[in-house]
């Protein structure tokens, strides 16, 4: 599933590896969709609509919107805790996180203040029932206790953290710092930054492959991909160009299919 920010739709793509990748449908949602979270077990897709202040819920079977949640200003990212049936939404312009109980459809009222400014990226650690929030304009990461719904810690990271991912198997958190071309590595036990890794220009998206202990970073500014060895905390082969035909691609999102060993990058310009 790919969010198309400018035409307010979600594209569903068939990735059967024995066939060409075909577009199955384009699903209308709210205005300027950005973040997506997928519940594979219940076949539901959650979409943050940044300029309509809503979250759309798509039925994976019918490929139609089945429900819409109203949240606060400028929802940017969504992250799902399937174990505890909660959905977390970062509201960038409100400096809050909306917490939705998917069993009851009730939201925590009021939404949780992140103790940071302009929260963007979200990541859930289901193993420890924690939520990590990248606060872009305060250069910090907030840690939310999923049981109490309280911010338990605020961690200083690099400049303008934009995206975040959790490696639950190794209890590490990786933060893409858009403003200083780096990735901060946080120890999930101590909440200390244990390493800072220089990557490509303007890292905007990040994902972890726990199976192979690798971290992939999409660098918007120079059309590259950085790969981090999770064991050594060092880059593998520097940065990899993904530019095509000498045109700007502008990679803005990334995800990994660990089962089939593929990495997918969404390019804004191409």
């Amino acid at each position: 599933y790919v969010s198309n920010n400018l035409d307010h739709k979600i594209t569903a793509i068939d990735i059967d590896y024995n066939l060409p990748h075909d577009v199955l449908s384009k699903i209308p949602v709210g205005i300027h969709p950005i973040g997506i979270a997928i519940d594979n077990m219940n076949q539901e897709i959650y979409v943050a609509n940044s300029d309509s202040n809503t979250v759309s819920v798509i039925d994976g079977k019918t490929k139609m919107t089945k429900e819409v949640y109203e949240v606060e200003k400028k929802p940017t990212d969504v992250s799902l805790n399937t174990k505890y049936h909660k959905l977390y939404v970062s509201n960038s312009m409100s400096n809050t996180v909306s917490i939705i109980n998917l069993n009851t459809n009730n939201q925590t009222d009021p939404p949780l203040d992140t103790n940071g400014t302009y929260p963007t990226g979200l990541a859930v650690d289901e193993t420890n029932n924690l939520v990590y929030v990248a606060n872009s304009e305060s250069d910090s990461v907030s840690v939310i206790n999923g049981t109490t719904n309280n911010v338990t810690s605020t961690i200083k990271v690099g400049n303008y953290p934009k995206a975040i991912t959790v490696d639950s198997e190794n209890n590490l958190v990786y933060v893409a710092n858009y403003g200083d071309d780096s990735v901060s590595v946080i120890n999930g036990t101590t909440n200390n930054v244990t390493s800072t890794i220089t990557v490509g220009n303007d890292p905007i998206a990040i994902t972890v492959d726990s199976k192979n202990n690798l971290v992939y970073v999409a660098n918007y500014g120079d059309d590259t991909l950085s790969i981090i060895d999770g064991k050594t905390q060092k880059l593998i082969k520097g940065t990899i160009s993904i530019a095509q035909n000498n045109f700007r691609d502008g990679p803005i999102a990334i995800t990994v299919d660990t089962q089939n060993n593929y990495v997918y990058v969404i390019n804004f310009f191409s």
Side-chain angles (χ1 to χ4, degrees), residues 1 10 27 36-47 55-69 78-82 85-87 100-103 105:
Y1 293 89
I10 300 299
I27 308 160
I36 293 180
I38 299 173
D39 182 348
N40 289 311
M41 182 174 293
N42 295 302
Q43 295 190 51
E44 292 180 330
I45 300 91
Y46 298 87
V47 184
V55 172
S56 298
V57 186
I58 297 171
D59 187 318
K61 296 179 182 178
T62 65
K63 303 294 187 292
M64 296 178 65
T65 297
K66 58 184 283 188
E67 193 164 6
V68 177
Y69 295 112
V78 284
S79 194
L80 191 64
N81 188 324
T82 57
H85 309 290
K86 287 183 178 181
L87 182 72
I100 303 170
N101 185 319
L102 298 177
N103 291 326
N105 285 336

Side-chain angles (χ1 to χ4, degrees), residues 1-21:
Y1 293 89
V2 180
S3 58
N4 303 298
N5 187 264
L6 298 182
D7 68 2
H8 323 307
K9 294 178 181 178
I10 300 299
T11 300
I13 301 173
D14 184 352
I15 55 171
D16 186 332
Y17 294 100
N18 296 314
L19 298 169
H21 290 6

Side-chain angles (χ1 to χ4, degrees), residues 199-265:
V199 291
N201 295 343
D202 305 333
I204 197 170
I206 190 166
T207 191
V208 65
D209 176 359
S210 296
K211 181 179 178 181
N212 296 300
N213 204 7
L214 297 172
V215 181
Y216 296 91
V217 186
N219 303 304
Y220 175 82
D222 59 8
D223 295 338
T224 63
L225 186 69
S226 297
I227 306 174
I228 299 170
D229 185 322
K231 185 175 181 180
T232 65
Q233 301 293 301
K234 294 181 178 179
L235 288 184
I236 298 175
K237 297 181 180 178
T239 57
I240 300 170
S241 175
I242 57 173
Q244 303 178 39
N245 302 318
N246 296 319
F247 292 109
R248 273 301 314 274
D249 279 330
I252 56 169
I254 189 168
T255 191
V256 61
D257 175 359
T258 56
Q259 183 175 348
N260 295 289
N261 203 26
Y262 280 93
V263 178
Y264 293 89
V265 182

Side-chain angles (χ1 to χ4, degrees), residues 132-152:
Y132 295 90
V133 188
N135 302 303
S136 292
E137 293 185 359
S138 54
D139 303 338
S140 67
V141 168
S142 299
V143 185
I144 300 171
N145 183 308
T147 302
T148 65
N149 292 335
N150 291 324
V151 173
T152 58

